[in-house]
Amino acid sequence: MILEMKVPSPGESIKEVEIATWLVKDGDYVEKDQAIAEVDSDKATLELPAEASGIITLKAEEGDAVAVGAVVCLIDTSAAKPSGNAPVKTEEKKVEEKKAEVKVEAPKVTYAASTPSPAAKKILDEKNIQPSDIIGSGKDGRITKDDAVNAVPSMGTPTGGSRGSERTKLSMLRRKVAERLVAAKNETAMLTTFNEVDMTAIYALREEYKEAFKAKHSLGLGFMSFFTKAVTRALKLYPDVNSMIDGQEKITFDFCDISVAVSGPKGLMVPVMRSAETLSFRGVEAEIKRLAIRARDGQITVDEMTGGTFTISNGGVFGSMLSTPIINPPQSGILGMHNVVERAIVKNGQIVIAPVMFVALSYDHRIIDGRESVGFLVAVKEALEKPEELLMDNNVKKALEL
């Protein structure tokens, strides 16, 4: 029996996917539920499992865009499983491999020594380019008029280093990310406000409690839990930052679904922590770890990447000092974290050295005014500089569930 495998729908709004990578070859024997391909949608990369065991025949190439519901491969379920680990090849495949084993020496061609046509020579003379500097594309290496027109005068002496280039097709996910970023710049009144955070208090808390936290919860006590708690507190104080525009209406949320920008093998992923305002420090760290692992392993689903109300992006893990993060539509705000550097700051009239992070809030000025944006960022700064009082209710051990 020949089973037609069709592209399943990754989500309600997705009509097309792209074959990113075939994980099997044409003619291989596959097991039921074995991952046979990775497919890109405009929101995530997903694995395609085999619906049955048998010999597979591929019906699409890597890079092909295929509609949801289209047939991408056939599985011959009546085929017997081969002995050992050797994949079964179709007869056609065997013939092709046989042919491939025969090596044919290409005839040697002697090219003329950079001979240009009269028209080409005239153009090269006008450009002050020597024919010997041009590789002709005509018969026997003859320099054509097009070669001369496209020739560029040398701007220096070649050093012998590689000057190659490679052209590769962008994945569907990367193309969608590009479209969304351009749309965010063109369709929102985006503005960025900045502040700096003295991280001394957080450093002291982490230094004192990180080992106990890890021993109790098998999790690291990172910056993200402090920032997430500070953001959800600030969103309650300034609800306009937790809003979005829908046509001529404003939607304001009484919950905080925080999108967290993470780097995956296929590019930037933005999975969502649902109802982050209800999570403890341990809950935030556990959820971020879970989402990061799923993003790294290419297991993030479309549902896990949609529906956020605000985004946190941590460019500091890559060494970024300062940036203007781009809003993640249809959200109205995004907080950019950066690296922590010891800087000279003034405390109580004295110049001291302290670990300082620059933070940036990009927001849609159509819906968020300066008072709300600046007030929000100041509230985040205050909570991070006084975490024990404003985020832990003056009971660190209870907040960290120790």
Side-chain angles (χ1 to χ4, degrees):
M1 175 183 172
I2 302 297
L3 171 70
E4 292 185 339
M5 266 198 61
K6 299 178 181 179
V7 178
S9 176
E12 203 172 305
S13 62
I14 298 174
K15 307 298 182 189
E16 186 180 69
V17 299
E18 187 175 282
I19 305 296
T21 308
W22 280 111
L23 304 177
V24 296
K25 293 182 177 131
D26 197 39
D28 280 358
Y29 186 90
V30 298
E31 299 282 359
K32 188 176 186 295
D33 296 328
Q34 175 186 342
I36 59 173
E38 290 181 350
V39 295
D40 284 342
S41 72
D42 58 12
K43 291 184 173 68
T45 298
L46 307 169
E47 285 189 346
L48 187 65
E51 295 176 6
S53 299
I55 293 177
I56 192 167
T57 302
L58 309 183
K59 291 296 183 182
E61 300 288 337
E62 290 185 358
D64 284 357
V66 291
V68 169
V71 175
V72 288
C73 66
L74 306 176
I75 298 179
D76 183 357
T77 60
S78 62
K81 183 176 181 179
S83 57
N85 297 321
V88 175
K89 302 287 183 181
T90 61
E91 287 303 314
E92 183 180 348
K93 194 76 172 178
K94 288 180 180 178
V95 171
E96 289 175 356
E97 289 176 351
K98 201 81 172 177
K99 289 180 179 177
E101 291 175 2
V102 180
K103 296 183 179 179
V104 179
E105 287 282 338
K108 293 183 179 179
V109 178
T110 303
Y111 294 102
S114 305
T115 304
S117 66
K121 188 174 187 310
K122 183 174 184 297
I123 294 171
L124 292 177
D125 288 343
E126 291 172 353
K127 291 184 174 184
N128 197 27
I129 298 176
Q130 294 297 319
S132 58
D133 294 335
I134 305 299
I135 298 175
S137 62
K139 185 178 180 182
D140 296 337
R142 187 180 181 85
I143 299 172
T144 66
K145 181 180 178 181
D146 285 343
D147 294 333
V149 169
N150 295 325
V152 178
S154 173
M155 299 302 290
T157 303
T159 61
S162 173
R163 291 177 54 80
S165 62
E166 182 182 7
R167 184 184 295 267
T168 57
K169 185 178 180 181
L170 294 175
S171 69
M172 183 176 286
L173 176 61
R174 175 53 63 184
R175 296 199 302 270
K176 188 62 177 181
V177 168
E179 289 173 12
R180 286 170 61 82
L181 292 176
V182 172
K185 293 283 285 183
N186 293 340
E187 297 171 10
T188 65
M190 196 174 80
L191 192 62
T192 305
T193 185
F194 305 93
N195 216 315
E196 63 180 14
V197 177
D198 179 357
M199 301 286 286
T200 300
I202 291 178
Y203 265 53
L205 284 171
R206 292 181 69 239
E207 183 64 28
E208 184 174 354
Y209 293 102
K210 65 181 180 181
E211 295 301 331
F213 189 84
K214 186 172 184 179
K216 178 73 179 291
H217 306 301
S218 299
L219 294 165
L221 181 59
F223 291 149
M224 281 301 297
S225 53
F226 288 94
F227 271 81
T228 301
K229 300 292 285 183
V231 162
T232 56
R233 172 182 177 271
L235 289 175
K236 292 298 182 184
L237 296 173
Y238 296 94
D240 278 353
V241 184
N242 201 37
S243 303
M244 59 183 63
I245 291 179
D246 184 15
Q248 296 184 347
E249 298 177 331
K250 177 175 78 170
I251 304 173
T252 303
F253 304 96
D254 64 358
F255 57 87
C256 303
D257 281 357
I258 305 299
S259 303
V260 183
V262 297
S263 181
K266 297 290 184 178
L268 185 69
M269 304 277 186
V270 195
V272 181
M273 284 190 290
R274 308 290 177 188
S275 298
E277 77 281 4
T278 67
L279 298 177
S280 63
F281 280 82
R282 179 193 61 79
V284 171
E285 293 293 352
E287 184 65 357
I288 287 175
K289 181 179 179 180
R290 184 185 74 84
L291 293 172
I293 291 173
R294 288 178 63 77
R296 181 197 66 195
D297 295 343
Q299 297 176 342
I300 283 288
T301 65
V302 173
D303 288 342
E304 289 174 309
M305 303 233 333
T306 55
T309 64
F310 186 87
T311 296
I312 300 176
S313 176
N314 186 6
V317 296
F318 304 111
S320 169
M321 181 188 79
L322 195 60
S323 68
T324 55
I326 298 178
I327 296 169
N328 180 21
Q331 298 171 20
S332 299
I334 178 172
L335 179 73
M337 300 166 56
H338 301 92
N339 63 352
V340 180
V341 176
E342 288 193 339
R343 304 182 191 279
I345 64 172
V346 177
K347 283 186 179 182
N348 302 319
Q350 300 292 320
I351 297 176
V352 297
I353 303 299
V356 173
M357 177 191 288
F358 293 141
V359 289
L361 173 71
S362 291
Y363 61 97
D364 190 346
H365 211 342
R366 296 176 302 166
I367 196 171
I368 303 170
D369 291 330
R371 174 186 171 276
E372 283 72 27
S373 62
V374 174
F376 172 88
L377 198 56
V378 169
V380 170
K381 170 184 169 70
E382 290 174 344
L384 294 172
E385 292 184 342
K386 299 178 180 178
E388 191 170 345
E389 174 188 346
L390 299 179
L391 300 180
M392 298 176 162
D393 199 23
N394 291 312
N395 192 333
V396 178
K397 289 189 176 181
K398 182 179 178 181
L400 298 180
E401 301 175 52
L402 298 177

